[in-house]
Amino acid sequence: MPLPPPSMPVASPLPFDHAPDGPVRLYALIPSAGSGSRSGAAGPKQYQRLAGQRVIDHTVQAFLQVGLLSGVGVVVAPDDRVYASADPRVRVWHVGGATRAHSVYNGLLALAGSGARGTDWVLVHDAARCLIRPHDIERLIQTLMDDPVGGLLALPLPDTLKQASPDTPDPRVTVTVPRSDKWLAQTPQMFRIGALTRALQADEASGFDGITDEASAIERAGMSPKLVAGPARNVKVTYPEDFALAEALLMTPQMTPSTTDMTRLRIGEGWDVHALVPGRRLMLGGIHIPHHSGLLGHSDADALLHAITDALLGAAALGDIGTLFPDHDPQFEGADSSRLLAHAWEQVTRQGYALANLDATVIAQAPRLGAYKTQMQTHIANLLGVRTDQVNIKAKTAEKLGPVGQGLSIECRAVALLVKAG
Ligand code: MG
């Protein structure tokens, strides 16, 4: 074995130095030992609640949705009695240090001690960057998997950069700094576990002085991390106003699902049929349609709204319209199905779902419904509080076949796609 050059300190052996070869794995490491005194809250900011759960839970969940990762390690303070995870893919290590770099270094040693190899990748991520999305993480991984060094998400500097006279209570601009080559470092930062641990090991003696992120340790070790453009929303929640902004963003469903966060997508189907009899008002899609007959039922028998209600309830796994509004319950006799749909939709949205789109078909031999489709679409979109282009209504006949074709009944079908907020 060649001796290291004399200028380099002899590094002590690390747990993965003699690990056998194997397929390369990826791990996430989340240092979460900070006290977060700038957030204005009494406790650490990673334990503040945002959109129904703690900051750290949002962060860990984003990583758990990335199927490429073998596990997530969370580094907490040695005396932390708050954080625990029931998910078997999450390991919690009570080895947090005085600085972020120290926590990361200890976390890397814990990761190596639990079987990670030096050639495996680690994605180190700030606990307080809870707005990271799974597809941002996946894009970083895909970009860096074949890179010799690794790199980080970063944001090209969006604002004009001013340099000020140093150490003055009354700062004035000395120069405007060209910004085209300036980036704001974000996380995750993705490096080989061996290279990053070695780089930090070399800084341990100095108390990790000047090491503000993983990339700075890698740079000091003589390597040049790759910059991968990250999203502007990937901020670290620090100040009280950040929390309000983060909460608003977390409550807004994202319509850009990646291949591995499909669990946020839910599909539902609905079907309904009612007999068409003389002397009843014909209601379809919440619209009164002039006709000699109407649909027979306990409520106003709007088969289209019933099919849509079932599709929405089905997607959210909330049962069906019959469970919610039993047809033997006198309070629903003659009920306006628009009200029933609105009530069901409220239950669905309370679970954190938003509508991606809804598509429905009315099958009726008569009357002709083409002229009413837009009215139905608008009415349903208004009921659900969505854009009209998220709702589509189709109408067709049954070619005189079967009971629908003979004008004895009207049948409706619907499919709905929901997206869970997150
Ligand atoms: Mg019905």
Side-chain angles (χ1 to χ4, degrees):
M1 198 173 116
L3 288 171
S7 60
M8 280 181 60
V10 179
S12 51
L14 291 166
F16 44 69
D17 279 346
H18 304 292
D21 283 346
V24 170
R25 291 167 301 193
L26 295 113
Y27 297 91
L29 184 66
I30 301 174
S32 183
S35 61
S37 52
R38 283 176 293 180
S39 69
K45 64 184 173 185
Q46 63 271 28
Y47 296 141
Q48 278 205 57
R49 292 186 81 79
L50 263 187
Q53 56 183 354
R54 298 174 300 185
V55 167
I56 179 79
D57 298 324
H58 288 289
T59 306
V60 169
Q61 262 167 29
F63 282 87
L64 288 176
Q65 286 177 55
V66 177
L68 297 163
L69 292 172
S70 295
V72 178
V74 181
V75 177
V76 299
D79 60 350
D80 189 307
R81 298 287 171 268
V82 177
Y83 188 70
S85 174
D87 194 301
R89 295 168 293 173
V90 179
R91 299 284 301 268
V92 183
W93 292 304
H94 290 78
V95 294
T99 62
R100 183 181 186 286
H102 203 160
S103 296
V104 170
Y105 182 59
N106 290 348
L108 289 168
L109 296 179
L111 198 53
S114 67
R117 288 182 289 259
T119 48
D120 291 338
W121 291 99
V122 63
L123 283 80
V124 182
H125 186 73
D126 298 324
R129 281 188 207 271
C130 58
L131 296 170
I132 189 75
R133 294 165 300 190
H135 61 270
D136 298 321
I137 302 168
E138 284 164 6
R139 192 165 48 80
L140 180 74
I141 292 172
Q142 303 296 355
T143 310
L144 296 177
M145 270 299 268
D146 298 320
D147 193 272
V149 177
L152 62 149
L153 285 184
L155 187 68
L157 195 68
D159 300 317
T160 299
L161 187 61
K162 302 290 187 192
Q163 188 167 316
S165 41
D167 302 326
T168 162
D170 180 27
R172 288 188 169 273
V173 174
T174 55
V175 67
T176 296
V177 182
R179 68 168 185 214
S180 62
D181 59 350
K182 305 288 187 298
W183 296 66
L184 297 166
Q186 300 182 340
T187 66
Q189 304 203 353
M190 173 172 156
F191 297 104
R192 299 275 186 181
I193 292 176
L196 182 57
T197 312
R198 284 265 178 258
L200 286 169
Q201 189 183 41
D203 294 313
E204 193 186 8
S206 70
F208 305 101
D209 187 34
I211 302 300
T212 52
D213 64 354
E214 291 61 57
S216 53
I218 291 286
E219 292 154 41
R220 201 177 274 183
M223 290 171 274
S224 183
K226 188 178 176 76
L227 293 159
V228 180
R233 64 177 269 148
N234 186 21
V235 295
K236 185 157 46 165
V237 293
T238 303
Y239 300 101
E241 59 267 31
D242 299 339
F243 283 81
L245 181 66
E247 182 144 54
L249 285 167
L250 285 167
M251 297 296 278
T252 308
Q254 296 304 308
M255 300 303 292
T256 49
S258 67
T259 49
T260 54
D261 70 348
M262 287 298 191
T263 51
R264 294 200 293 122
L265 293 181
R266 306 278 306 208
I267 195 164
E269 70 93 40
W271 173 89
D272 201 17
V273 64
H274 283 263
L276 195 56
V277 297
R280 289 266 301 183
R281 261 166 74 85
L282 178 59
M283 293 296 293
L284 279 172
I287 305 299
H288 172 235
I289 293 157
H291 193 47
H292 54 69
S293 301
L295 294 173
L296 183 63
H298 186 64
S299 64
D300 64 6
D302 188 323
L304 177 55
L305 293 191
H306 294 181
I308 288 171
T309 304
D310 261 356
L312 296 169
L313 289 172
L318 288 174
D320 60 28
I321 192 169
T323 323
L324 224 56
F325 315 107
D327 63 9
H328 50 76
D329 190 333
Q331 68 163 313
F332 301 123
E333 193 168 345
D336 175 354
S337 296
S338 294
R339 271 187 41 232
L340 305 186
L341 172 56
H343 180 74
W345 181 234
E346 198 191 316
Q347 312 266 314
V348 171
T349 52
R350 215 178 275 163
Q351 304 289 315
Y353 290 105
L355 183 73
N357 75 307
L358 173 69
D359 187 23
T361 306
V362 184
I363 310 152
Q365 198 60 41
R368 305 298 284 184
L369 297 170
Y372 300 98
K373 285 191 295 190
T374 307
Q375 261 176 280
M376 295 181 196
Q377 179 194 28
T378 307
H379 177 75
I380 294 160
N382 287 342
L383 268 182
L384 302 177
V386 300
R387 300 187 314 272
T388 50
D389 68 359
Q390 289 171 275
V391 176
N392 189 61
I393 306 296
K394 307 187 295 298
K396 60 197 297 162
T397 73
E399 301 288 344
K400 301 202 168 121
L401 297 169
V404 175
Q406 290 159 30
L408 300 174
S409 60
I410 289 179
E411 216 177 285
C412 296
R413 298 163 190 276
V415 284
L417 186 67
L418 301 183
V419 185
K420 185 114 180 173

